[in-house]
Amino acid sequence: MNSRWFWHGVYALVLLALALAIYAASRTVDYTWRWDRVPDYIVAYEDVDLRSTLTGIVEISDGQVDIIGTQDAAATETFGDLDEVLVEDGDYVFDGDVIGTRSGWRIGPLTWGLVVTLQLSILALLFAVPIGLLAGLGRVSTNPAARNLAATYVELIRGTPLLVQIFIFYFFVGTVLSLSRMTAGVAALAVFTGAYIAEIVRAGIESIPKGQMEAARSLGMSYGQAMRHVILPQAMRRTLPPMAGQLINLIKDSSLVSVIAITDLTKAGREVVNSTFSPFEVWFTVAAMYLVLTAGLSLLIRRFELRLARSDG
């Protein structure tokens, strides 16, 4: 027990030494740290201007502002719960004019970037799983054509950088099929992740003893029936934890789609840096947001693996 606490203490000292080294290094840099700017780009409480979308006459009653359209008499627009009204009854306003302000919490660009990163990752995973499952089955297929096609796909995708694949999907495939940036980014991530999932599926299937396939075939099952009812249920149970781990890698890989102007967390970070001229604070914050997200998923995956291990025992 004493030895265990000793090594925990060594771990804490190493972390403390690293923190002090980073702090000392930051003091040697001729840079003015402005951490006070960062929270506003995560979430902020501020006044929001509410603008008219009509051209018309203002009518104010009981604190409620109505815009009666003059170009279209049936068109009206209502503004309620305004903290400050900037027009008066009878005013003539145009489309885009500020009617009033309303205070409230606003989600900042870094938080929106994090939401887009999650959307990209989840959508890509939803497509990557069936792609990887089909390719993984092809890798262990007895059909030479299916096996060779799956192997070619896996080796081609795993043997080329994701950044290059994103450019190919956006500039070539996206142009041919008229894909949006978001669709091209999701497709590139799905195809890339599918190749790794295929290897996970292949390893899961090959981890099942061959005697189980032979026993299923001896009971009169076809190869497909044996694979569907006997082999795959066991293999998928074993591959769920590494597939969940692949989601973490996918979240980190999704940062590369910022090169095709998708405003994920990484691109949002670049935009904030351009407006604040605070690169160190912003990139440390972006890294921390990625870390919180992936660390939380890692903890959930670890608990899931322990639960599976207990159920197998």
Side-chain angles (χ1 to χ4, degrees):
M1 181 62 70
N2 291 334
S3 175
R4 181 181 178 183
W5 283 109
F6 170 77
W7 290 112
H8 280 307
V10 170
Y11 167 74
L13 287 175
V14 170
L15 289 184
L16 179 60
L18 287 174
L20 291 175
I22 293 173
Y23 176 75
S26 68
R27 300 288 292 179
T28 63
V29 179
D30 185 14
Y31 182 79
T32 302
W33 294 86
R34 295 293 304 272
W35 287 103
D36 57 300
R37 297 180 178 180
V38 175
D40 289 342
Y41 292 93
I42 299 175
V43 62
Y45 189 83
E46 62 180 20
D47 293 334
V48 178
D49 291 337
L50 300 179
R51 299 177 181 272
S52 172
T53 60
L54 297 175
T55 296
I57 305 297
V58 175
E59 291 186 359
I60 300 177
S61 176
D62 297 328
Q64 178 175 293
V65 179
D66 295 315
I67 309 297
I68 310 301
T70 54
Q71 297 176 345
D72 182 358
T76 60
E77 187 174 17
T78 301
F79 297 88
D81 298 326
L82 296 176
D83 294 321
E84 182 180 6
V85 178
L86 301 179
V87 293
E88 296 181 357
D89 192 37
D91 282 353
Y92 190 85
V93 297
F94 295 91
D95 181 7
D97 286 352
V98 178
I99 304 302
T101 62
R102 184 183 296 153
S103 300
W105 289 101
R106 174 188 61 83
I107 295 178
L110 292 181
T111 305
W112 279 119
L114 183 63
V115 171
V116 173
T117 292
L118 283 173
Q119 290 176 340
L120 277 167
S121 302
I122 293 173
L123 286 174
L125 188 69
L126 290 176
F127 288 103
V129 169
I131 293 173
L133 180 59
L134 289 175
L137 291 173
R139 292 279 280 161
V140 298
S141 174
T142 56
N143 186 302
R147 187 170 61 251
N148 292 335
L149 285 172
T152 300
Y153 159 67
V154 170
E155 295 303 325
L156 181 64
I157 297 301
R158 295 180 67 188
T160 54
L162 175 58
L163 184 60
V164 174
Q165 295 174 30
I166 291 173
F167 282 136
I168 291 173
F169 266 90
Y170 179 60
F171 289 108
F172 179 68
V173 179
T175 300
V176 173
L177 300 179
S178 300
L179 302 180
S180 66
R181 290 187 178 91
M182 190 72 170
T183 303
V186 169
L189 290 172
V191 171
F192 179 80
T193 305
Y196 287 87
I197 290 179
E199 287 299 279
I200 294 173
V201 172
R202 179 193 60 78
I205 292 174
E206 291 181 347
S207 69
I208 305 300
K210 294 183 178 179
Q212 296 207 26
M213 173 62 77
E214 295 171 356
R217 296 299 298 274
S218 68
L219 292 174
M221 291 185 182
S222 65
Y223 178 84
Q225 289 175 329
M227 184 65 72
R228 184 168 64 253
H229 297 294
V230 178
I231 304 300
L232 277 181
Q234 299 179 73
M236 295 308 294
R237 184 180 180 86
R238 296 184 181 186
T239 59
L240 281 177
M243 279 192 182
Q246 189 62 38
L247 173 60
I248 295 176
N249 292 330
L250 177 59
I251 290 173
K252 294 183 290 185
D253 292 338
S254 69
S255 62
L256 293 176
V257 301
S258 62
V259 299
I260 58 174
I262 295 178
T263 310
D264 68 326
L265 181 54
T266 300
K267 187 172 187 299
R270 288 208 303 266
E271 293 175 350
V272 172
V273 168
N274 292 335
S275 62
T276 62
F277 301 102
S278 303
F280 294 165
E281 299 93 321
V282 173
W283 288 123
F284 277 127
T285 302
V286 169
M289 294 174 77
Y290 273 116
L291 182 61
V292 168
L293 182 59
T294 56
L297 286 173
S298 296
L299 180 61
L300 291 176
I301 292 167
R302 179 57 182 164
R303 290 186 175 181
F304 183 61
E305 289 176 345
L306 291 175
R307 181 173 296 179
L308 282 180
R310 286 196 297 266
S311 64
D312 288 339

